Amino acid sequence: MAQASPPLEGIRVIEFTHMVMGPTVGVILADLGAEVIKVEPLGGDNTRRLGGSGAGYFPMYNRNKKSICVDLKSPQGIEVVHRLVADADVVIENFRPGAMDRLGFGYAQLSALNPRLVYCSLKGFLSGPYEQRTALDEVTQMMGGLAYMTGLPDRPMRAGSSVIDITGGMFGVIGILAALERRHRSGQGEQVTSSLFETTAFMVGQHMAQQAVSGEVPPPMSVRRSAWSVYDIFETADGERVFVGVVSDTLWQRFCEAFGLAEFAADPGLAKNNDRVRQRDRILPVIEALFRGLDKETLMARLESAGVPFAPINRPADLFDDPHLNATGALQTVTLTDGDNAGQTTRLPALPLELHGAKFTLRRDIPRAGEHTREVLAALGYDEERIAALLADGRVAAGT
């Protein structure tokens, strides 16, 4: 932040994570100012080497962190972890159920070393019949009904982002902050667990409530019955597409005025939203024909002037050049550490928050695997001779 120290400055986090959900917790805490030390295996987090749709996981969710590579199964590696945890505030882990306990790094084991420790586990399921299952974002989107609501009838489709991993990680952060606040009063840490399945259930809770209220099973959003008369994607004269949403009676009047729809504006049978919804078949063909006579930029300018919600139909790549994101520091320049483009820079979204009007900035670039091993070990009290011996024995690794 530009004018004040970050809110989590002084909080130390030890992160044992991979993929998306766990690293999301770590990057949010790191962006908020915590010192986050990512503990990676000797060869580095396997997420660094993912291709395809996973190629962006590591660079997106691991900035502002330090990296140390440790053999967690060796006595020397166990000693390093114990020293790290001894004065840490938070531990994050997203291994399979029981894995950290088998390594000797479960909540009961580490909290015995540090009773003030807040220990956050990111799992597939909370306590219950499914708790030992292994889950993935896509697994819980399918079993939680989100894929059904996203796709076409009889063709479930996952959302176009790791939305459950990311929101599940956000709930993990909320739990951590709540536990830290309670620690201020009790002096004791505690275990926090966030999960993919229950996060999915929370996300589709609006559709469960919809069924309870309406008595009807909600169809997928792709074929839903709209709650508003104008809430659609429209084609423009230049072959582009724009989404437009008119979601209140006041907006309806402004919309009609902006586009010369005097007959609609004066019709008392269209004054209320539910009446307009029942007459969508009358309204939409008129609007579709009107918009097909305007190019995209003209249409959007008129919608913006009228204060009507609208959006161009963009791809993620279009955000690199978005004028709003580029004008406000919402994209941060980072250096890629792995893959064919290692060493090149790119711009990725910052934390979507402001405090006192200031965004959270990049303090530390994406770490190379083991980049901070020597620095962290020295801070733990290891002398140069001992660090050299650990490196020579292959119990820790340092980045180049």
Side-chain angles (χ1 to χ4, degrees), residues 93-113:
E93 65 90 10
N94 70 335
F95 286 92
R96 291 184 179 185
M100 289 291 278
D101 297 291
R102 290 190 292 273
L103 287 169
F105 304 141
Y107 171 66
Q109 295 144 318
L110 295 187
S111 64
L113 294 175

Side-chain angles (χ1 to χ4, degrees), residues 72-143:
L72 296 179
K73 296 182 179 180
S74 68
Q76 298 93 331
I78 293 170
E79 178 188 280
V80 169
V81 170
H82 285 173
R83 289 202 191 188
L84 281 170
V85 169
D87 64 348
D89 297 285
V90 178
V91 160
I92 309 166
E93 65 90 10
N94 70 335
F95 286 92
R96 291 184 179 185
M100 289 291 278
D101 297 291
R102 290 190 292 273
L103 287 169
F105 304 141
Y107 171 66
Q109 295 144 318
L110 295 187
S111 64
L113 294 175
N114 179 357
R116 290 175 52 80
L117 188 68
V118 172
Y119 188 105
C120 180
S121 296
L122 294 311
K123 301 301 179 189
F125 307 88
L126 297 181
S127 301
Y130 301 159
E131 64 183 288
Q132 294 303 314
R133 289 190 189 179
T134 300
L136 302 167
D137 184 299
E138 196 150 337
V139 166
T140 59
Q141 285 198 39
M142 296 292 174
M143 70 184 295

Side-chain angles (χ1 to χ4, degrees), residues 15-31 36 38 45 47 57-63 65 92-94 122 165-166 169-170 173:
E15 178 183 316
F16 301 87
T17 76
H18 59 291
M19 299 295 279
V20 176
M21 191 183 190
T24 294
V25 177
V27 77
I28 294 172
L29 296 175
D31 281 3
V36 178
K38 184 178 183 71
D45 182 350
T47 310
Y57 291 172
F58 197 90
M60 180 60 209
Y61 302 112
N62 287 284
R63 61 173 177 255
K65 301 178 184 179
I92 309 166
E93 65 90 10
N94 70 335
L122 294 311
D165 275 324
I166 296 165
M170 292 165 64
V173 173

Side-chain angles (χ1 to χ4, degrees), residues 7 27 58 145 149 180 184 220 274 287-288 302 309 346 365:
V27 77
F58 197 90
M149 292 305 300
L180 289 172
H184 292 157
N274 288 345
I287 296 174
E288 288 169 351
R302 289 172 67 174
T346 190
D365 211 338

Side-chain angles (χ1 to χ4, degrees), residues 59 61 90 189-190 204 228 232 245 250 332 337 353 359 382 385 389:
Y61 302 112
V90 178
E190 59 188 295
V204 301
W228 299 282
D232 300 88
T250 301
Q332 299 178 343
T337 57
L353 287 173
K359 290 183 172 61
Y382 288 88
E385 183 178 355

Side-chain angles (χ1 to χ4, degrees), residues 21-314:
M21 191 183 190
T24 294
V25 177
V27 77
I28 294 172
L29 296 175
D31 281 3
L32 291 172
E35 178 191 23
V36 178
I37 299 173
K38 184 178 183 71
V39 180
E40 303 189 51
L42 292 178
D45 182 350
N46 284 332
T47 310
R48 292 176 178 273
R49 293 177 281 278
L50 287 178
S53 61
Y57 291 172
F58 197 90
M60 180 60 209
Y61 302 112
N62 287 284
R63 61 173 177 255
N64 281 333
K65 301 178 184 179
K66 298 177 181 179
S67 169
I68 177 172
C69 291
V70 182
D71 177 2
L72 296 179
K73 296 182 179 180
S74 68
Q76 298 93 331
I78 293 170
E79 178 188 280
V80 169
V81 170
H82 285 173
R83 289 202 191 188
L84 281 170
V85 169
D87 64 348
D89 297 285
V90 178
V91 160
I92 309 166
E93 65 90 10
N94 70 335
F95 286 92
R96 291 184 179 185
M100 289 291 278
D101 297 291
R102 290 190 292 273
L103 287 169
F105 304 141
Y107 171 66
Q109 295 144 318
L110 295 187
S111 64
L113 294 175
N114 179 357
R116 290 175 52 80
L117 188 68
V118 172
Y119 188 105
C120 180
S121 296
L122 294 311
K123 301 301 179 189
F125 307 88
L126 297 181
S127 301
Y130 301 159
E131 64 183 288
Q132 294 303 314
R133 289 190 189 179
T134 300
L136 302 167
D137 184 299
E138 196 150 337
V139 166
T140 59
Q141 285 198 39
M142 296 292 174
M143 70 184 295
L146 181 58
Y148 170 81
M149 292 305 300
T150 303
L152 295 167
D154 301 319
R155 189 179 178 184
M157 183 179 297
R158 66 156 284 161
S161 169
S162 301
V163 291
I164 303 302
D165 275 324
I166 296 165
T167 52
M170 292 165 64
F171 281 121
V173 173
I174 293 169
I176 289 169
L177 297 179
L180 289 172
E181 175 59 26
R182 183 147 68 183
R183 191 182 73 176
H184 292 157
R185 300 189 295 274
S186 70
Q188 296 292 310
E190 59 188 295
Q191 187 167 20
V192 173
T193 308
S194 178
S195 73
L196 294 170
F197 182 54
E198 282 81 358
T199 292
T200 310
F202 192 87
M203 296 281 279
V204 301
Q206 67 189 82
H207 301 301
M208 297 168 67
Q210 177 187 346
Q211 180 169 340
V213 170
S214 69
E216 300 176 356
V217 176
M221 294 292 280
S222 57
V223 293
R224 70 191 182 278
R225 185 175 66 195
S226 178
W228 299 282
S229 58
V230 180
Y231 202 77
D232 300 88
I233 296 171
F234 298 92
E235 293 186 1
T236 62
D238 48 353
E240 297 290 338
R241 295 183 299 165
V242 176
F243 169 81
V244 182
V246 180
V247 294
S248 74
D249 298 337
T250 301
L251 273 179
W252 171 251
Q253 291 297 323
R254 293 213 301 263
F255 175 75
C256 289
E257 181 180 354
F259 290 95
L261 299 169
E263 181 181 345
F264 282 171
D267 188 341
L270 298 178
K272 297 298 182 183
N273 178 70
N274 288 345
D275 294 332
R276 293 193 298 276
V277 170
R278 284 188 284 269
Q279 299 184 67
R280 272 171 60 86
D281 290 345
R282 170 191 171 195
I283 294 170
L284 286 181
V286 174
I287 296 174
E288 288 169 351
L290 174 63
F291 287 177
R292 278 197 297 268
L294 302 172
D295 64 65
K296 172 184 170 183
E297 294 305 322
T298 299
L299 173 59
M300 293 197 303
R302 289 172 67 174
L303 290 165
E304 183 165 15
S305 178
V308 175
F310 71 92
I313 309 305
N314 284 335

